[in-house]
Amino acid sequence: MALELRHLRYLLAVAERGSFTRAAEDLHISQPTLSQQVRQLERTVGVQLLDRTGRTVRLTDAGEAYAQHARHALRDLAAAERAVHDVQDLSRGHLRLGLTPTFTAYLVGPLTAELHARHPGVTLAVRELPQDRIEAGLLDDDLDLGIAFAGPHLAGIEAAGLFTETLSLVTAASGEGAGPDRPLPVAELADRQLALLSGDFATRMHIDAYFAEHRAGPRIAVEANSIQALTEIVRRTSLATVLPDAITHDHPHLAPLPLDPALPSRTVTLLRRSDAYRSAAVRAFVRLARELVRSRGYTPA
């Protein structure tokens, strides 16, 4: 039997779902047909790839080794197909972008608007993900580009600095037009109630580390998993929060209040898989992102 790509996809579907029945449903084929195709594959390679004896179907040791190469083969084929269809004049194209949640509040909107204005034929798929899932998505070829923060990265991930993000304590704007005459000592946060992002945000972990370093113990009155919810809460209450300055500058109802010592800055990075194909759309987006950062006056990385 000649090996075909469907055999690889069928094997990986069964391995992922742990069941012929569920895999067949996902693939929209009958369970007997799926079983027959996988057995044909096993006869072709001359080894048992799946252990069918337990409640869950699993890859055998040989199956694990084979599946690893099958995943790489399918990933490389998908990249090859995108390369064939990539149009250098950007009359069409596609970009899959992953970014950590705070960037949806101030960066993805201007970037998307600029991309659409310059290259309306390029489609953009945006996914808001934690940084570890962005890097995993890049390695699995589920994403073309990521926007996240500098730090330890998975092997095979290439990071390029984009700009430096600064953060401040943020309150509702008073409307008087005058800012504070001095930074607020971090010890005085004990007298304030805060609304902060929830613990699954990288920004919250950054804030908590700052509080711990300076032995500050603010009272956390509200936790939110949405930047929009947080800005509305702070706007309409006496609660303060901590946000990137770029968000505050774009929000007329919020005012930054510097802390002493200042909150540490973070380096925003563009993430790519080191050996990934660089499509025309990816190259254009990187250029556009760097132009936008300069035009907005963000501190260079």
Side-chain angles (χ1 to χ4, degrees):
M1 182 202 78
L3 179 64
E4 298 185 20
L5 289 176
R6 72 171 185 275
H7 294 106
L8 304 184
R9 295 190 176 99
Y10 290 172
L11 173 69
L12 296 178
V14 176
E16 179 180 345
R17 299 293 281 160
S19 163
F20 279 91
T21 300
R22 290 193 292 270
E25 291 172 353
D26 291 347
L27 295 166
H28 304 292
I29 62 174
S30 69
Q31 190 271 336
T33 297
L34 177 59
S35 297
Q36 180 188 41
Q37 294 290 307
V38 173
R39 288 195 181 280
Q40 285 180 354
L41 174 60
E42 289 177 319
R43 286 195 295 271
T44 299
V45 299
V47 68
Q48 182 178 342
L49 300 174
L50 292 172
D51 179 0
R52 302 166 173 80
T53 59
R55 295 178 61 185
T56 301
V57 180
R58 296 182 178 183
L59 290 166
T60 62
D61 290 344
E64 287 282 3
Y66 191 86
Q68 181 179 358
H69 289 284
R71 292 188 187 97
H72 286 306
L74 292 175
R75 185 193 72 187
D76 291 344
L77 178 63
E81 290 174 347
R82 289 196 303 276
V84 167
H85 293 100
D86 181 29
V87 178
Q88 298 303 310
D89 64 4
L90 291 167
S91 60
R92 60 183 171 85
H94 184 64
L95 176 67
R96 302 166 300 169
L97 177 68
L99 40 77
T100 53
T102 51
F103 296 124
T104 60
Y106 72 91
L107 197 57
V108 71
L111 283 172
T112 302
E114 196 65 26
L115 179 69
H116 183 68
R118 296 192 193 185
H119 310 295
V122 175
T123 60
L124 178 65
V126 178
R127 296 179 63 189
E128 185 180 87
L129 298 166
Q131 181 151 339
D132 58 344
R133 289 183 59 193
I134 291 174
E135 296 191 14
L138 291 168
L139 292 175
D140 290 340
D141 197 39
D142 293 328
L143 297 172
D144 300 307
L145 200 62
I147 303 177
F149 296 103
H153 300 294
L154 297 177
I157 294 296
E158 175 185 299
L162 187 58
F163 64 95
T164 299
E165 183 186 72
T166 56
L167 299 97
S168 297
L169 190 71
V170 176
T171 62
S174 65
E176 299 173 0
D181 57 3
R182 65 180 177 88
L184 179 73
V186 66
E188 294 185 19
L189 284 179
D191 300 325
R192 289 180 176 263
Q193 289 188 326
L194 301 186
L196 295 178
L197 292 167
S198 53
D200 51 343
F201 280 74
T203 299
R204 174 61 184 276
M205 291 184 279
H206 190 70
I207 294 166
D208 286 347
Y210 168 82
F211 289 154
E213 179 183 357
H214 298 288
R215 297 189 175 125
R219 290 171 289 169
I220 312 302
V222 175
E223 290 187 316
N225 67 351
S226 159
I227 296 286
Q228 182 178 2
L230 198 60
T231 55
E232 283 299 301
I233 289 167
V234 172
R235 173 188 171 188
R236 299 174 186 277
T237 69
S238 61
L239 299 175
T241 189
V242 177
L243 288 173
D245 290 334
I247 295 178
T248 313
H249 294 162
D250 285 347
H251 206 301
H253 302 291
L254 300 178
L257 178 58
L259 289 172
D260 182 21
L263 281 146
S265 60
R266 301 182 290 180
T267 299
V268 178
T269 59
L270 290 169
L271 302 179
R272 295 180 287 196
R273 196 178 85 240
S274 300
D275 61 349
Y277 169 70
R278 307 291 197 261
S279 70
V282 166
R283 297 194 300 272
F285 188 89
V286 171
R287 289 194 299 270
L288 182 154
R290 296 199 179 281
E291 290 174 13
L292 182 72
V293 165
R294 287 194 296 270
S295 70
R296 291 198 152 210
Y298 296 158
T299 304

